[in-house]
Amino acid sequence: MPRRAYLHLERSPAAIRTVTVVAVTLNERSYEFAKKLIAAGHFVLDDRDAWSEHQPSARQENEFIAEHGFGAYQKWFLGVDDEEPEDRKDRYKFPYGDFTLVHRCGVLSAEVRAGQYKYSDIEVAAAHLHGMLDAPR
């Protein structure tokens, strides 16, 4: 169950609203893995809007998990929701690759979405990966 926080809009008790807070944080292991892949040249410099076509399907995710396990699966996601069990796909957020290569479009998608949802640690990490990908070679 997600943690609950209280948002005070006014000083009166009647004005207190409950909001749900999701515990998504940067997956440091994944971030380091992505940096190593990029440094080794294992990436695709695709267009910003290509992620919907390049992102692995649910079937591909399930096949990858069956073959490699959740330990390998989680390395392809910049965010982790600590309130979800480790053996659930819902635990892992902000994918950036196809289980072989880092995709520029995936990194850009993660950067934008992390910014929208105010996950600043994930947004900064994705922005750094974005900079690595766009750096002159």
Side-chain angles (χ1 to χ4, degrees), residues 56-91:
S57 67
R59 185 181 107 299
Q60 290 169 316
E61 288 179 343
N62 293 339
E63 288 172 356
F64 186 86
I65 292 166
E67 188 173 334
H68 302 283
F70 276 95
Y73 177 78
Q74 64 91 19
K75 292 193 297 186
W76 291 94
F77 295 83
L78 289 175
V80 62
D81 182 346
D82 290 329
E83 295 192 355
E84 292 288 340
E86 288 185 19
D87 62 346
R88 296 282 312 272
K89 291 194 306 186
D90 289 345
R91 179 178 175 90

Side-chain angles (χ1 to χ4, degrees), residues 6-45:
Y6 295 95
L7 175 64
H8 298 276
L9 300 175
E10 297 177 16
R11 294 185 189 268
S12 69
I16 298 175
R17 287 187 12 204
T18 302
V19 297
T20 301
V21 178
V22 179
V24 178
T25 57
L26 177 64
N27 181 346
E28 294 281 349
R29 182 176 172 199
S30 171
Y31 178 50
E32 294 302 320
F33 180 66
K35 289 192 297 186
K36 288 178 184 175
L37 287 171
I38 293 169
H42 299 289
F43 59 84
V44 178
L45 294 176

